[in-house]
């Protein structure tokens, strides 16, 4: 995600752009508090790039924002078909927002398939900009249109803007030495220029981006910039767009600081680098590419100057094996994957539990089972993270709640792994990974001190007075064993998957020892210090909404709507899923009703019922998309009234 550094407080002066436009032009300029735009087209139409650029300029302007990219799993899905539609939704506002929005105010449809795939989400009165050049008889038939929706009156309830985007783009680029096909590829930049004019987005950043992206092809860069400017000028001059809109910077939504737009995967990668620096350890990533986790591998591979080493392995098992070896060697070790990869890594995760070494397992959850929905989101790996290994193999679980929060969650997962010498699951998902929002760049003084002490010499005295090193002699507070770097004189010790003898680490088949080691490993995880769960309950509600992970935004937006309508409802959100916060049981027992919305079939609710004997009510969705705020508000209202 290309981003611009910005401070919303410092961007307030940019609102004068609209005032200047009002004074200079005859067109009406209307002020809005928020807008939801969706770009949609073929997966080869550049909708993700278009949305990314509009998002970056919106971030630089100082609006709060939230995005929802949505694209096919195929690299190049069949052109003009419904399965091949790629979209990018952006919600931006002059105030604090939490979701990409329920229903778009504006749809940019590059072809009939994009229109048909998205029209059901559009409320009456919304603006629809369509590329009329693509509405041919064959293209309409391909997606099941019996007649042209631009002509048959079916879109009369919308503000329809028919624009021959392809023709206008080719005409704008006729002076360039490009084939028609090459020129047509810039139509997404024409559309971006038009939308940038409509919503007064800055343009300098996009032009610099295009110049940089196509630095080795200056003619292509110039053509794209020309198409972008032509789209802007078209909006300025055409009679079809009589109104443009202003959305002021969200000055009051953010505390002072330096902000940038950031996606969840990028924030997570930065969090891992920050953790390694705060721990004063080299960062090692052993990974195998898998959607939607691959961007973390891509990003970390750029940061060798921070002591980061990335290894793209031949498969998932090799990736985590290399990471565990790096942990044994004294690195902050990470492996990244999605649900199917976790299944393949499970035996090595169990080995990490047995060896009691710090290892971060980053699972960017996606729709399953098996290959499932590679580019869609889900929260269905919680029970796999909790129990998806043979034997008793407890692993702490941490989950971020927003794209920006992925940075802090990575630091927290590293803290637990390093302090307690244990593998740790970090459960993000596709919605967080690909979505983006403003992130305040923290000061170094705000970051935790994660430095660790490696074992340096003997730590145990035998009955005969001999001083020896025991690799499984534990810290009495954390139950963590010492971390001994290979090659340190006198600290040689045995490792392997067979059960260890308490203290010495020697192979042991003793039943009593095995019972003790199993219970000790469990006690270590149970004893991890995590903050109490905080409850937002300003009115003494009887109903609590409990969430985890990426449901935070939709739940919070739904709770706000209910409270604005006079309803009393409490909210709590979990970052730590194993162990649970110490006060969670007391919190749950303080409410008559507990509702748990999840993008699965009720996995957290199952854990809550089992551990606390609370009759939690599940509200579930597994359609590959995040919850909508209105949908959740309706469900929660029914739960309150029940």
């Amino acid at each position: 995600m290309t981003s611009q550094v910005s401070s919303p407080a410092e961007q307030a002066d940019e609102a004068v752009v609209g005032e200047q436009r009002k004074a200079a032009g005859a067109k009406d300029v209307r002020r809005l508090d928020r807008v939801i735009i969706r770009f949609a087209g073929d997966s080869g139409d550049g909708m993700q790039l278009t949305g990314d650029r509009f998002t970056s300029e919106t971030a630089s302007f100082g609006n709060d924002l939230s995005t929802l990219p949505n694209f096919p799993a195929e690299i190049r899905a069949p052109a003009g078909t419904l399965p091949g539609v790629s979209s990018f939704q952006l919600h931006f506002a002059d105030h604090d927002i939490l979701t990409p929005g329920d229903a778009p105010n504006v749809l940019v449809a590059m072809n009939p398939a994009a229109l048909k795939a998205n029209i059901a989400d559009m409320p009456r009165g919304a603006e629809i900009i369509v590329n009329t050049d693509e509405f041919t008889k064959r293209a309409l038939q391909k997606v099941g249109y019996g007649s042209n929706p631009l002509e048959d009156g079916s879109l009369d309830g919308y503000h329809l803007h028919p624009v021959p985007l392809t023709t206008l783009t080719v005409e704008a680029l006729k002076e360039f030495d490009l084939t028609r096909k090459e020129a047509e590829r810039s139509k997404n930049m024409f559309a971006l220029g038009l939308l940038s004019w409509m919503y007064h987005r800055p343009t300098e950043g996009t032009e610099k981006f295009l110049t940089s992206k196509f630095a080795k092809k200056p003619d292509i860069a110039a053509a794209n910039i020309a198409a972008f400017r032509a789209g802007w000028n078209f909006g300025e001059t055409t009679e079809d767009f009589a109104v443009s809109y202003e959305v002021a910077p969200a000055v009051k939504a953010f505390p002072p600081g330096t902000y940038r737009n950031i996606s969840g995967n990028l924030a997570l990668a930065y969090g891992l680098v920050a953790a390694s620096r705060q721990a004063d350890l080299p960062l090692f990533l052993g990974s195998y590419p898998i959607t939607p986790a691959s961007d973390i591998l891509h990003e970390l591979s750029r940061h060798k100057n921070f002591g980061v080493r990335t290894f793209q392995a031949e498969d998932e098992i090799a990736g985590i094996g290399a990471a565990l070896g790096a942990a044994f060697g004294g690195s902050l070790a990470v492996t990244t994957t999605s649900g199917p990869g976790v299944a393949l890594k499970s035996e090595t995760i169990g080995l990490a539990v047995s060896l009691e070494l710090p290892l971060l397992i980053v699972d960017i959850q996606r729709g399953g089972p098996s290959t499932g929905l590679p580019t869609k989101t889900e929260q269905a790996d919680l029970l796999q993270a909790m129990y998806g290994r043979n034997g008793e193999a407890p692993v702490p679980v941490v989950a971020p709640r927003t794209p920006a929060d992925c940075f802090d969650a990575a630091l927290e997962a590293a803290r637990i792994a390093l302090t307690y010498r244990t593998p740790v699951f970090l459960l993000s998902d596709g919605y967080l990974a690909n979505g983006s929002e403003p992130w305040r760049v923290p000061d170094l003084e705000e970051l935790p001190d994660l430095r660790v002490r490696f074992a340096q010499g003997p730590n145990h005295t035998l009955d005969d007075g001999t001083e020896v090193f025991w690799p499984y002699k534990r810290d009495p507070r954390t139950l963590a064993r010492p971390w001994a770097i290979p090659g340190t004189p006198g600290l040689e010790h045995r490792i392997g998957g067979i059960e260890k003898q308490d203290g010495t680490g020697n192979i042991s088949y003793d039943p009593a020892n095995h019972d003790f080691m199993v219970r000790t490993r469990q006690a270590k995880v149970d004893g991890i210090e995590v903050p109490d769960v905080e409850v937002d309950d300003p009115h003494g509600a009887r109903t609590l909404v409990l969430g985890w992970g990426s449901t935070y935004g939709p739940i919070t937006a739904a709770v706000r709507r209910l409270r604005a309508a006079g309803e009393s409802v409490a909210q709590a959100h979990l970052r730590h899923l194993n162990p649970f916060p110490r006060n969670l049981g007391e919190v749950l027992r303080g409410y008559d009703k507990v509702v748990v919305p999840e993008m699965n079939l009720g996995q957290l609710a199952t854990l809550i019922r089992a551990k606390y004997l609370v009759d939690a009510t599940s509200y579930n969705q597994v359609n590959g998309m995040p919850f909508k705020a209105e949908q959740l508000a309706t469900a929660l209202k029914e739960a309150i009234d029940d």
Side-chain angles (χ1 to χ4, degrees):
M1 180 70 71
T2 304
S3 306
Q4 300 289 330
V5 176
S6 66
S7 170
E10 296 172 356
Q11 296 297 333
D13 290 341
E14 296 194 26
V16 300
V17 172
E19 299 300 325
Q20 294 170 349
R21 288 176 56 89
K22 290 178 186 177
K27 292 195 175 185
D28 184 21
V29 180
R30 298 179 186 172
R31 192 154 200 165
L32 303 174
D33 64 346
R34 67 187 186 96
V35 174
I36 303 168
I37 298 175
R38 183 180 296 176
F39 299 92
D42 271 335
S43 56
D45 281 340
M47 293 297 93
Q48 302 305 317
L49 175 62
T50 305
D52 174 39
R53 289 313 315 159
F54 196 93
T55 298
S56 293
E57 298 296 4
T58 297
S60 72
F61 187 70
N63 296 119
D64 195 11
L65 61 89
S66 180
T67 68
L68 178 61
N70 187 14
F71 43 87
E74 292 82 5
I75 294 175
R76 185 65 174 93
T81 64
L82 293 175
V85 172
S86 173
S87 68
F88 188 105
Q89 183 163 308
L90 166 68
H91 182 191
F92 61 103
D94 65 2
H95 57 276
D96 176 35
I97 57 174
L98 298 158
T99 74
D102 290 356
N105 308 114
V106 182
L107 171 65
V108 180
M110 304 297 281
N111 59 19
L115 178 64
K116 188 164 189 177
N118 292 281
I119 191 63
D121 293 336
M122 305 302 296
R124 293 292 175 174
E127 296 198 62
I128 300 178
I129 302 170
V130 295
N131 180 14
T132 56
D133 290 325
E134 295 295 325
F135 279 70
T136 63
K137 183 177 180 180
R138 183 173 182 273
L140 292 167
Q141 291 175 344
K142 188 180 289 188
V143 295
Y145 275 125
S147 60
N148 191 335
L150 308 184
E151 301 171 352
D152 63 12
S154 60
L155 300 178
D156 286 350
Y158 305 95
H159 294 296
L160 181 64
H161 302 279
V163 181
L165 287 172
T166 306
T167 299
L168 291 171
T169 302
V170 172
E171 178 66 19
L173 302 183
K174 63 182 180 181
E175 297 180 0
F176 292 85
D177 186 20
L178 300 173
T179 66
R180 179 179 176 87
K181 187 174 183 180
E182 289 173 333
E184 288 178 358
R185 290 174 182 162
S186 297
K187 63 181 180 289
N188 64 324
M189 288 297 104
F190 189 101
L192 177 60
L194 173 57
L195 269 292
S196 297
W197 172 84
M198 284 182 65
Y199 293 98
H200 302 178
R201 299 298 92 185
T203 60
E204 295 82 2
T206 291
E207 294 192 10
K208 289 180 181 178
F209 167 82
L210 292 171
T211 301
S212 174
K213 180 177 177 63
F214 298 106
K216 296 182 179 180
K217 299 179 179 179
D219 291 345
I220 299 297
N224 276 280
I225 292 172
F228 176 68
R229 291 175 177 174
W232 177 283
N233 293 332
F234 178 77
E236 188 75 38
T237 58
T238 183
E239 295 181 1
D240 192 36
F241 292 90
V243 179
S244 64
Y245 304 92
E246 284 183 358
V247 181
V251 179
K252 298 180 180 179
F254 306 102
T258 299
Y259 285 79
R260 61 162 296 159
N261 180 46
I262 200 164
S263 68
N265 272 351
L266 183 58
L268 205 155
Y270 285 177
L272 293 173
V273 174
S276 74
R277 294 298 81 209
Q278 292 302 105
D280 197 21
L281 297 175
L283 177 64
F284 180 90
L285 173 67
S287 182
Y288 179 75
I290 184 172
T291 301
S294 299
D295 284 342
I296 302 171
L297 170 62
H298 300 160
E299 182 61 33
L300 289 179
S301 67
R302 301 171 181 169
H303 296 293
K304 295 176 183 175
N305 56 314
F306 288 115
V308 179
R309 295 294 178 266
T310 54
F311 171 57
Q312 181 175 319
E314 65 270 27
D315 56 38
E316 296 281 6
I317 299 172
I320 190 173
L324 185 57
F328 178 59
S331 293
L332 176 59
V334 185
T335 189
T336 53
T337 189
S338 190
V342 175
L344 292 167
K345 296 176 187 291
S346 62
E347 182 180 6
T348 307
I349 297 172
L351 176 59
V353 172
S354 176
L355 297 182
E356 301 189 44
L357 288 171
L359 173 68
L360 302 187
I361 305 112
V362 178
D363 178 8
I364 312 297
Q365 301 167 95
R366 72 188 203 189
S370 189
T371 309
L373 304 175
T375 61
K376 310 303 180 184
T377 195
E378 208 164 86
Q379 285 184 300
D381 294 351
L382 176 56
L383 293 183
Q384 180 178 224
M386 288 286 293
Y387 303 119
R389 294 163 295 283
N390 63 297
E392 296 287 347
V395 175
V397 180
V398 174
R401 63 185 188 178
T402 68
D405 188 49
C406 290
F407 178 87
D408 295 314
L411 285 165
E412 174 63 1
R415 177 192 73 84
I416 293 173
L418 294 171
T419 302
Y420 295 90
R421 309 286 196 272
T422 178
V424 177
F425 262 102
L426 180 56
L427 290 184
S428 180
D429 61 42
Y431 172 36
L432 296 183
N434 296 315
S436 61
E437 66 176 350
W439 171 61
R440 187 180 68 82
V441 180
D443 294 329
L444 288 177
E445 295 74 20
E446 300 174 39
L447 302 180
D449 184 351
L450 300 179
R451 288 174 295 181
V452 297
R453 289 179 58 86
F454 293 114
Q456 299 297 323
N459 62 357
H460 182 75
T461 303
L462 299 177
D463 292 341
D464 62 3
T466 303
E467 292 187 341
V468 296
F469 174 68
W470 274 14
Y472 281 83
K473 185 168 185 175
R474 302 178 183 278
D475 182 296
R477 183 181 67 85
T478 64
L479 298 183
R481 78 175 187 90
W483 195 358
I485 302 300
T488 306
L491 304 191
E492 299 84 0
H493 60 283
R494 183 190 301 272
I495 63 169
I498 298 178
E499 184 61 278
K500 319 293 184 296
Q501 184 182 54
D502 176 42
T504 69
N506 296 329
I507 291 175
S508 173
Y509 295 98
D510 178 63
N513 178 79
H514 177 61
D515 181 273
F516 177 81
M517 293 294 280
V518 166
R519 294 180 186 276
T520 300
R521 288 189 288 261
Q522 182 66 57
K524 180 171 68 171
V525 173
D526 291 342
I528 292 173
E529 295 180 4
V530 302
D532 284 349
V533 63
E534 297 181 359
V535 182
D536 177 20
D537 184 6
H539 305 117
R542 296 174 56 199
T543 300
L544 172 71
V545 187
L546 180 68
W548 69 279
S550 65
T551 57
Y552 173 78
I555 289 175
T556 305
V559 167
R560 286 181 180 178
R561 293 189 185 195
L562 289 172
R563 289 176 180 169
E567 298 291 341
S568 180
V569 59
Q571 178 187 358
H573 207 79
L574 295 176
R575 163 171 284 177
H576 298 89
L577 298 155
N578 191 33
F580 286 129
R582 300 281 188 273
N583 68 330
L584 180 58
E586 179 183 355
V587 166
L588 296 174
R589 288 187 286 270
Y591 292 90
D592 296 341
K593 298 176 184 177
V594 177
V595 183
V596 186
E598 299 180 79
M599 291 188 293
N600 57 47
L601 294 182
Q603 297 187 13
L604 175 61
T606 297
L607 296 173
I608 292 297
R609 292 189 191 105
K611 185 173 181 65
Y612 300 108
L613 302 181
V614 170
D615 187 19
T617 301
S618 287
Y619 183 74
N620 309 117
Q621 173 177 295
V622 282
N623 61 5
M625 299 295 289
F627 285 114
K628 294 182 177 179
E630 184 63 32
Q631 164 197 3
L632 268 183
T634 300
L636 296 176
K637 179 66 165 62
E638 293 174 355
I640 293 171
D641 294 341
D642 185 11

